[in-house]
Amino acid sequence: MQIKVLGSGAGGGLPQWNCAGRNSAGVREGVAGLRARTQSSLAVSANGKDWVLLNATPDLRQQINETPELHPDPKGPVRNSPIKAVVLTNGDVDHVAGLLNLREGQPFTIYGSERVLGVLAENSIFNVLNPEIVDRVPMKLGEAFAVEGPNGPVGLEVEGFAVPGKVALYLEDESAGEDFGTQEGDTIGLKVTDTSSGDHFFYVPGCAQVDDALKERLKGAPLVFFDGTLFTNDEMLRQGMLQKTGERMGHMNMSGPTGTLAAFEDLDVARKVFIHINNSNPVLREDSEERAAVTKAGWDVAFDGMKLEL
Ligand code: MLT
Ligand code: MN
């Protein structure tokens, strides 16, 4: 199974269009050891021919152009694409807006929880994806299924499972109490398995807490991509970017007793990769002490174009 990181940044990417913060400005200035990042998404293939996208970001057009595996076959029909399916983990803008980039009459399948497909159904702009050729298939949480493109199974199985999180920002209901109307299925993690070899990995780009159920699921995993939005809960406030903590945004931070480094300490995960990294996060700088701390704890920091094979 081949895995390509199409994008490793959180919403806004790096540099973010309206941000003059240290990292966004640093990328524009060409600071060494600080890479530009598009918004978080993976492409996965079991056979090197058919590819499945995990989320579709507003940067998808650029990501496809920069990824030869996702280009149309020049020997095929004039309109063709190796992208056979998209699996969604939530309804956030950075994870669904890229569906609009796939609107040129090409058949593929969209998988999402009932909640997330409900969001697409309520937003008529997504009707540019003609339902006659772009199937929308609800995922039953906790049940693995074979991913199918327009020509049948692609050799991958996916299981979606609920993780602690928050409803998409633009759907928050202030009147619904402190969880803003969040329901099961608003944020899910994915287990992706190569059907023939049984190799598998987990993709959890948004997560508010590693609870016991999630620990149990991830224990001993060969590979986990995990929410790396922030290093500290209040870093966006401290940098004057946004009056919100990670906790308020539904994202864990890396450091401290309730952070990801601590939560994964005893999970025995063979390869741990942070993804969905916000432009405020100091680990983006390869020479930072925060980067040294996550490296010491056994984590990789994903970058655009990173390739992994299982
Ligand atoms: C998030 O990850 O919290 C969202 O991408 C935020 C947003 O929609 O801007
Ligand atoms: Mn996001």
Side-chain angles (χ1 to χ4, degrees):
M1 177 162 50
Q2 297 177 57
I3 305 161
K4 283 204 86 169
V5 176
L6 299 182
S8 51
L14 178 70
Q16 178 172 309
W17 71 283
N18 65 343
C19 188
R22 189 165 175 264
N23 288 333
S24 287
V27 170
R28 294 188 193 101
E29 287 157 14
V31 166
L34 182 63
R35 302 173 188 235
R37 282 172 159 85
T38 62
Q39 294 162 84
S40 57
S41 172
L42 299 184
V44 190
S45 178
N47 58 18
K49 192 165 63 69
D50 301 312
W51 288 81
V52 175
L53 306 185
L54 309 185
N55 292 325
T57 86
D59 302 317
L60 184 54
R61 181 175 176 279
Q62 175 188 344
Q63 293 169 340
I64 292 172
N65 285 339
E66 286 170 4
T67 309
E69 294 89 335
L70 300 183
H71 294 175
D73 177 357
K75 299 195 198 79
V78 65
R79 293 279 175 90
N80 76 84
S81 171
I83 299 173
K84 303 300 180 199
V86 180
V87 187
L88 302 171
T89 64
N90 61 22
D92 283 355
V93 173
D94 55 350
H95 288 160
V96 302
L99 290 171
L100 301 176
N101 287 76
L102 302 176
R103 69 185 176 282
E104 328 286 1
Q106 190 67 36
F108 66 98
T109 314
I110 302 171
Y111 294 94
S113 68
E114 300 267 8
R115 279 284 284 178
V116 170
L117 291 189
V119 173
L120 301 188
E122 277 168 25
N123 285 274
S124 56
I125 193 168
F126 290 104
N127 293 343
V128 291
L129 301 164
N130 178 355
E132 303 214 334
I133 56 171
V134 180
D135 275 343
R136 299 183 190 183
V137 181
M139 296 162 60
K140 283 213 184 79
L141 300 185
E143 276 182 33
F145 60 91
V147 177
E148 295 207 20
N151 307 318
V154 300
L156 292 170
E157 250 174 45
V158 167
E159 177 189 348
F161 51 90
V163 298
K166 183 185 70 60
V167 69
L169 180 61
Y170 59 91
L171 296 172
E172 285 184 4
D173 176 1
E174 297 273 350
S175 68
E178 64 179 32
D179 66 1
F180 306 100
T182 299
Q183 291 182 26
E184 186 176 83
D186 280 332
T187 309
I188 66 171
L190 303 174
K191 179 183 182 184
V192 181
T193 305
D194 180 325
T195 314
S196 52
S197 68
D199 290 328
H200 67 277
F201 72 94
F202 291 90
Y203 184 54
V204 189
C207 187
Q209 194 205 342
V210 181
D211 59 13
D212 288 344
L214 186 55
K215 277 191 178 161
E216 203 45 51
R217 197 180 273 280
L218 300 182
K219 207 175 266 175
L223 169 64
V224 176
F225 289 89
F226 201 82
D227 184 341
T229 308
L230 304 172
F231 190 78
T232 42
N233 189 34
D234 63 352
E235 76 191 32
M236 294 190 76
L237 282 116
R238 280 191 291 106
Q239 294 179 44
M241 293 174 171
L242 186 70
Q243 292 304 308
K244 277 184 188 172
T245 59
E247 207 174 342
R248 168 65 184 83
M249 295 189 294
H251 290 292
M252 287 182 73
N253 48 267
M254 299 172 176
S255 61
T258 57
T260 8
L261 300 189
F264 274 74
E265 218 165 51
D266 301 320
L267 293 189
D268 198 25
V269 172
R271 188 145 191 211
K272 300 175 282 193
V273 184
F274 280 125
I275 196 162
H276 190 278
I277 305 150
N278 195 52
N279 49 61
S280 55
N281 195 324
V283 304
L284 291 166
R285 292 184 176 243
E286 289 165 20
D287 60 0
S288 63
E289 62 186 66
E290 292 84 356
R291 171 67 76 99
V294 305
T295 304
K296 186 157 175 258
W299 285 82
D300 282 316
V301 175
F303 55 89
D304 294 17
M306 183 184 197
K307 283 189 207 182
L308 286 96
E309 216 157 304
L310 283 178

